[in-house]
Amino acid sequence: MEQRHLGRTGLRVSRIGLGTLTWGRDTDEHDAAEQLKVFWEAGGTLVDTADVYGGGEAEYLLGRLVDGLVPRGDLVVATKAGSVADPYRRVDASRGHLLAALDASLSRLGTDYVDLWQLHAFDPYTPLEETLQALDLAVSSGRARYAGVSGFSGWQLAKAATWQLAAPGARTRLAATQMEYSLLQRGVEREVLPAALDLGLGLLPSSPLGRGVLTGKYRTGTPAGSRGASELLAPFVEPYLDDAAGRIVDAVATAADGLATTPVQVALAWVRDRPGVAAPIVGARNAQQLAEALSVETLSLPDEICQALDDVSAPVHRYPDQDWSTL
């Protein structure tokens, strides 16, 4: 699999990443092992997790599999910290919480460093400079090789990256930002992606298959056993089941038919090759689904197909008025 630099850093990652959101919850150790082996054998390196995935079980599973199944040096392990199970405060990016969370992650992962450590979300209650100091300490101590953020808006991303560049002394430059991005969710193009491109951060798109909708599985209804049929996850899928999304899904299916490939590959190829994208993060229920996604490596979409998909999925930007960007 082709390797790409993560933003303006020397770190190289596979251009498709493996997501572990369901590990330890819906994906057991056997299925996780099969996924990791398929991913590694395909040349994948970037494995994305978080301290809250599966209540910590995702990191624990990954730690059990690394070295025994896949050499640690062959992987770029990325994890996140900051999300907390508190109904009154969903994010805690205080220096004390973050550094304690990093130590706990390293223990579960069975390693003394992570390649990429990311803030899971912006914390409006902690001074940003305090949060960023935690990133500096993590990198300077060798517990993290690179640092990034996740779920930051455009202004939050620009503020954080600029602070790191402008503050006196040696500071940790942000390497990446993670945000949902797909043909069904192009809002990132409004401010986050331009900021990332300008600041030299690599974008790691989450949910690149539109929460599973771009696979086409919901075109004729909601399949049993799918996320859309789950009481817990149905609200996560429902926003992408409207008529506008249906037209985009139909266009992806038409493109797949014309290219003798699958909607999964078309949707992934589109987002993978967008400017500024380093590696879409793909989560799969099993190794077979993952293998289908990884086969996108051989696919490059023709320009006319890309343009057609761009047109049918074009977001409406009227902020602060319809013609503001042309002034």
Side-chain angles (χ1 to χ4, degrees):
M1 189 182 302
E2 181 182 323
Q3 306 289 304
R4 291 173 170 173
H5 283 279
L6 186 61
R8 293 183 197 144
T9 74
L11 180 63
R12 289 167 60 83
V13 298
S14 54
R15 62 177 181 168
I16 296 290
L18 173 61
T20 64
L21 175 65
T22 64
W23 285 24
R25 188 187 67 195
D26 303 319
T27 304
D28 62 21
E29 183 169 356
H30 172 75
D31 288 336
E34 286 193 336
Q35 288 187 28
L36 185 60
K37 186 176 181 182
V38 165
F39 181 67
W40 175 63
E41 290 177 344
T45 60
L46 176 62
V47 182
D48 180 76
T49 189
D51 61 351
V52 293
Y53 290 175
E57 285 298 309
E59 288 182 331
Y60 179 69
L61 269 183
L62 181 58
R64 283 175 58 90
L65 297 174
V66 170
D67 279 337
L69 183 67
V70 175
R72 172 66 179 92
D74 286 0
L75 297 180
V76 175
V77 176
T79 194
K80 311 178 196 72
S83 289
V84 292
D86 184 336
Y88 302 103
R89 182 180 185 178
R90 297 180 58 191
V91 182
D92 184 350
S94 63
R95 182 172 57 244
H97 173 79
L98 289 176
L99 293 175
L102 176 58
D103 288 339
S105 288
L106 293 176
S107 177
R108 285 188 292 269
L109 288 165
T111 183
D112 56 4
Y113 74 96
V114 291
D115 298 280
L116 176 65
W117 190 44
Q118 304 159 96
L119 303 175
H120 212 153
F122 185 83
D123 179 1
Y125 302 108
T126 299
L128 183 60
E129 54 269 34
E130 177 183 333
T131 297
L132 297 176
Q133 285 171 2
L135 300 185
D136 292 335
L137 288 168
V139 173
S140 64
S141 67
R143 288 176 285 175
R145 299 287 171 85
Y146 294 87
V149 298
S150 174
F152 276 39
S153 67
W155 74 264
Q156 292 165 351
L157 179 63
K159 183 177 181 180
T162 302
W163 179 273
Q164 291 298 83
L165 290 173
R171 304 302 295 265
T172 299
R173 181 173 185 149
L174 298 182
T177 183
Q178 189 169 148
M179 197 76 160
E180 183 172 355
Y181 188 21
S182 73
L183 280 161
L184 295 181
Q185 178 50 272
R186 294 179 59 184
V188 69
E189 296 175 2
R190 182 169 168 177
E191 292 184 346
V192 175
L193 185 54
L197 283 166
D198 184 69
L199 295 162
L201 279 67
L203 179 66
L204 301 173
S206 58
S207 295
L209 295 176
R211 307 182 184 184
V213 175
L214 287 167
T215 65
K217 68 173 72 175
Y218 297 99
R219 293 180 78 194
T220 58
T222 301
S226 67
R227 288 179 178 178
S230 161
E231 183 177 352
L232 177 64
L233 296 175
F236 181 67
V237 177
E238 192 274 335
Y240 293 162
L241 298 179
D242 60 11
D243 290 341
R247 289 189 290 271
I248 297 171
V249 173
D250 287 345
V252 170
T254 299
D257 288 342
L259 296 170
T261 187
T262 67
V264 168
Q265 293 174 359
V266 170
L268 267 183
W270 181 88
V271 71
R272 178 199 65 195
D273 295 334
R274 300 295 287 181
V277 168
I281 307 298
V282 176
R285 284 192 301 167
N286 53 53
Q288 183 178 358
Q289 285 186 347
L290 179 61
E292 179 188 355
L294 295 177
S295 63
V296 72
E297 181 65 17
T298 60
L299 177 65
S300 294
L301 297 180
D303 290 343
E304 58 271 21
I305 295 292
C306 285
Q307 187 60 59
L309 294 175
D310 288 354
D311 291 344
V312 74
S313 65
V316 178
H317 294 320
R318 294 194 176 105
Y319 166 80
D321 57 68
Q322 188 168 0
D323 300 316
W324 76 281
S325 62
T326 62
L327 297 179

